[in-house]
Amino acid sequence: MRISSDEEAPLKEHLKSALHPLCEADPELLADYVIALLKNDSSHEELAASLREALTDFLGDNTETFVKQLFDDLKTKPWAKKKAKASTPRSSSATKSAPKSAPRHSSPKPERQSVDGKDGWGTFDSEEGGGNQAGEQER
């Protein structure tokens, strides 16, 4: 099956989101594996059988459903529709983002709360048996 280089990244993201809830394997690696299997020049039936055989260990009872959905998705290409929506420019001037040179607002820094009544950070005094702040054992 032919997968263009433009399609590969969005297809991979689509596969990762589809595979994540189905198994405990790393979805990124499994998506790469599925794409490699899809690149095989075989008939639709041979490719489906190959995918079922290769993915059963990972997907178990979900394999058949995943393969059917994958072939449906390969026809409709929902990842291409998502990409088109994401790249559509917004017409309203109210929704335009700030220019890249505009400064970003940073979130306010949390106020320090006094633990020991002095500097606000709290220190442990070894005479009081506290040890050091990181909780490391002294040697």
Side-chain angles (χ1 to χ4, degrees), residues 6-71:
D6 291 341
E7 269 187 316
E8 194 166 326
L11 171 59
K12 181 177 178 176
E13 290 303 312
H14 179 77
L15 288 170
K16 284 172 29 179
S17 65
L19 291 165
H20 179 70
L22 299 178
C23 68
E24 292 183 19
D26 181 349
E28 183 153 353
L29 294 175
L30 199 51
D32 287 336
Y33 183 49
V34 170
I35 290 171
L37 292 169
L38 287 172
K39 289 182 177 180
N40 187 348
D41 286 332
S42 300
S43 70
H44 179 276
E45 293 79 20
E46 291 173 332
L47 190 54
S50 174
L51 283 165
R52 281 187 207 99
E53 183 179 331
L55 297 175
T56 297
D57 288 340
F58 299 103
L59 304 178
D61 294 339
N62 297 315
T63 305
E64 185 63 33
T65 304
F66 174 79
V67 172
K68 284 180 182 178
Q69 184 64 50
L70 175 60
F71 279 100

Side-chain angles (χ1 to χ4, degrees), residues 80-110:
K81 293 173 187 170
K82 287 180 187 176
K83 183 178 177 184
K85 284 183 183 180
S87 65
T88 304
R90 298 183 186 257
S91 60
S92 171
S93 62
T95 60
K96 289 183 180 178
S97 61
K100 290 182 181 180
S101 62
R104 294 183 178 238
H105 296 287
S106 62
S107 60
K109 294 181 181 178

Side-chain angles (χ1 to χ4, degrees), residues 122 124 130-137:
F124 295 103
N132 60 29
Q133 273 189 312
E136 297 175 3
Q137 295 178 353

